[in-house]
Structure formats: C-alpha cells, structure tokens
Amino acid sequence: MARLTHCFGVSHTPMLNTEEEDWERFAERDAAGSFRDKAGAPATYAELLTRAPADIAELIAPDRLHERFAAAQEGVERVRRAIEAARLDALIVVGDDQKELYHEDNLPSILIYYGETIRNVPRHLEKPNKVAWFQRARGGYYEAEGVRDYPVDAGLARHLIASLIDQEFDIATSDRLAEGQGEGHAFGFIHTRLMGRSTALPIVPLSLNTYYPPNQPTPRRCYQLGRAIRVAVESCPGDARVGVIASGGLSHFVVDEDLDRGLLDALARKDAEALCSMDRAKLNSGSSEIRNWICAAGAAEHLEMRWQEYLPCYRTDAGTGTGIAFAEWN
C-alpha cells in the first residue's frame, strides 16, 4: 500500500515574493486597510496603532527587517530542499481559495480537484495593480506569461475522494477549471516557489474554505480530515510515497505571536485536543489559513516534527504583518 511519509508547512504571504526593501512599503498599503485584531474583532489601522507592541519600533527597525527577510527566504529554500529530498511520488496540497475560483454561488467547505493537470495562468495580469512592487509580489504565485499545466495525481485524488466519502466526509469535487482560469495562490506558491517551474511531481489540490462564513470547517473537523487523509493514502494500492503540505498562515494581517507559538507548540507536542480546540474567533481573515496546518497535523500524527521555524514578521507601526512559519515532519 501507499505510505504517507512526509508532511510540510509553509507560509505563502506576498512578503515572501517581494524584495527586501519592499517590506517597509507595506505601511502605506496597510494604513488604508481594515483588519481583525488579535481577538478576532474588526479593527481599523488607527485602532491597531494604539494596541501595537511596546517595542514595535525595534521590531520594524531596518536591521530586524533585514534579519527576518533573510531568514524567511532561507525557510522557503529549506522547505524546497526537503520536498526534493523526500523523493515523493505525489504531494497533497492543503490550501484555501480566496474567491479565486469559488464564490458565493458555489463555495465548497472541502473540495478535491482530480483533473489530470491543473493550469497556472498569470492571474495577476487580469487586474494589474498600479503599485509596481506589489504587482511583482502578486506575480510570484503565477506564470509570468502564458499558460502552464502542472501534473495532478488524478488516481490518488479519486481514491482520496472515495475513501473520504466512506469515512463520512462530504467532499465537493472538480476535474477542470473554467476557461481562462488558473489555480489560486495557495497552490501556485507550491509550484512556483517550492517545486520549480520544471518539476514533474504531481500534486493533489485539496481546498478548504478557511476564509468565508457560513461554512468554514471547524478546527476539529480539519484535524479529523487530516487523520482521514492518512487512512485514505495508506489504503491506496501500490507503494507510492505521498506527502502532505499545508500552504498559508500563520497569523495575519495582525501578527499574533501567542496564537502562532501556541499552534507550533501544540504541533510539536502532538496535542490534538489543543489543535481541535483553537478559538475560531481568531481563525478569520488571513489567520484562517491556520486551519490548513491543523489538517496537515492530523495527517502527520504518526510522523515526528523534525524542524520548525517561526518568524514574527512585523512591517508597520500598527503591528501588521505576517507570522511566517516553516515545518517538516517525517
């Protein structure tokens, strides 16, 4: 039977697609935004300014930004090398769709894509951003021009669908994208940044609706799904080596170190109940992608966390930014 041999976690923030000097430029963009605070309540940028860490000036000092940027780029490279070294036959990508392909008229809670290939197109060119540096950051998820079809392990995908249904999960499915559409950023990041554009490693895209009420899966359901994915993989005929990767997170757009460190500590301790009991009020907006990590943790129960790295990447006086994290289980 197939084996689930490796698991990974990686943030996919646009901060990872920018040049170092661009991190300071987020301040102007964030100042015009709306956010959720650490408790999950709506907050303006002005309100966040009054609640920022006392040492925020130090946290966004140029030397600190330089240190975090370098560490973040090395983290991406380390995950890329780990995937290559794992010698996988397929990689299940647990990501989220931010109304890139799925909208209110049909917004599945859990969806598995089972086409033979999945298309990546230059989505960032559909509505170009006038700010050049941010436009470049958006482009990091997609082909620079034209269309690229990446391989999907359609057989494994269909087996996962059947097994998960047998395990009482109601799975939405898709075997194609609409004309002109391409994969969303959570999946594009895996292809363009972690695999290299010439890779032939097939993926299985699994999309969770982490962002949008009313059908966000609970943390407990995400963890149970991860467990069921492992059962499905290990009942698949053949001797394939299969991995799982969580794409996204951690806290953003307000950095919440307590939330992030609590998650990573629970992952390292294999504390399933702590993961299943995470406060849903805090898992909204960008921080909702923590659900992808909870799902991966359920699949990795039998594996040991070999390394993790956490970088609280503040970028403004208001404490906005991203909790960037990387991890590997094997």
Side-chain angles (χ1 to χ4, degrees):
M1 295 298 174
R3 293 180 295 148
L4 201 161
T5 62
H6 290 73
C7 184
F8 310 92
V10 63
S11 298
H12 62 222
T13 169
M15 294 177 75
L16 292 169
N17 291 338
T18 65
E19 300 298 328
E20 182 176 344
E21 61 268 21
D22 295 332
W23 279 22
E24 295 182 355
R25 296 173 175 168
F26 275 97
E28 181 177 352
R29 181 177 178 83
D30 287 1
S34 58
F35 304 90
R36 287 184 178 268
D37 63 18
K38 293 180 182 180
T44 65
Y45 187 83
E47 289 170 335
L48 293 176
L49 282 170
T50 68
R51 308 173 195 170
D55 59 345
I56 188 63
E58 178 184 341
L59 293 171
I60 61 172
D63 61 336
R64 183 63 64 87
L65 293 182
H66 172 75
E67 172 190 321
R68 297 296 193 209
F69 179 86
Q73 294 302 318
E74 173 54 29
V76 173
E77 177 61 16
R78 185 169 180 177
V79 176
R80 187 198 66 76
R81 293 195 303 263
I83 292 173
E84 183 177 25
R87 297 180 291 107
L88 299 172
D89 296 297
L91 182 65
I92 300 167
V93 181
V94 182
D96 57 301
D97 184 90
Q98 296 176 25
K99 296 184 179 177
E100 295 153 301
L101 297 174
Y102 312 112
H103 303 269
E104 284 86 351
D105 60 339
N106 189 4
L107 188 61
S109 180
I110 306 169
L111 179 142
I112 293 178
Y113 179 92
Y114 69 103
E116 295 291 334
T117 60
I118 190 163
R119 186 184 316 125
N120 187 299
V121 303
R123 299 180 62 95
H124 60 299
L125 299 183
E126 295 175 5
K127 296 180 180 179
N129 193 289
K130 295 180 181 179
V131 180
W133 69 266
F134 192 71
Q135 177 67 0
R136 290 194 300 271
R138 293 177 63 216
Y141 305 103
Y142 312 116
E143 298 299 306
E145 59 184 16
V147 174
R148 173 73 185 274
D149 292 315
Y150 287 93
V152 172
D153 191 330
L156 176 60
R158 288 191 293 269
H159 179 84
L160 286 176
I161 292 164
S163 177
L164 292 173
I165 288 173
D166 284 344
Q167 294 179 73
E168 301 185 347
F169 283 85
D170 297 318
I171 304 297
T173 65
S174 172
D175 71 348
R176 73 200 73 180
L177 303 180
E179 185 67 29
Q181 289 293 302
E183 63 185 351
H185 74 291
F187 306 93
F189 187 86
I190 305 304
H191 280 135
T192 63
R193 295 300 307 277
L194 296 185
M195 293 184 176
R197 298 176 189 272
S198 62
T199 184
L201 176 62
I203 72 167
V204 174
L206 190 156
S207 180
L208 297 179
N209 175 32
T210 71
Y211 253 73
Y212 304 108
N215 66 334
Q216 296 158 291
T218 66
R220 188 173 300 277
R221 193 60 168 162
C222 292
Y223 194 86
Q224 293 169 338
L225 175 62
R227 283 175 165 168
I229 288 170
R230 177 190 170 191
V231 170
V233 168
E234 295 183 348
S235 68
C236 189
D239 58 357
R241 294 168 56 87
V242 179
V244 173
I245 187 166
S247 176
L250 296 183
S251 65
H252 60 292
F253 298 93
V254 176
V255 177
D256 186 341
E257 292 193 45
D258 290 339
L259 177 66
D260 295 339
R261 295 185 192 280
L263 169 76
L264 292 170
D265 180 62
L267 292 174
R269 290 185 289 106
K270 297 189 178 184
D271 190 338
E273 188 54 35
L275 295 169
C276 291
S277 303
M278 292 192 72
D279 186 352
R280 279 186 272 171
K282 298 182 178 183
L283 302 186
N284 286 297
S285 184
S287 302
S288 72
E289 292 174 340
I290 286 173
R291 287 178 168 87
N292 299 333
W293 286 67
I294 295 172
C295 179
E301 275 190 331
H302 63 304
L303 304 176
E304 295 300 321
M305 179 176 273
R306 300 303 180 184
W307 63 269
Q308 61 166 262
E309 183 168 13
Y310 175 62
L311 304 169
C313 292
Y314 297 92
R315 65 195 188 201
T316 73
D317 290 331
T320 58
T322 305
I324 293 178
F326 311 97
E328 180 187 5
W329 296 256
N330 60 42

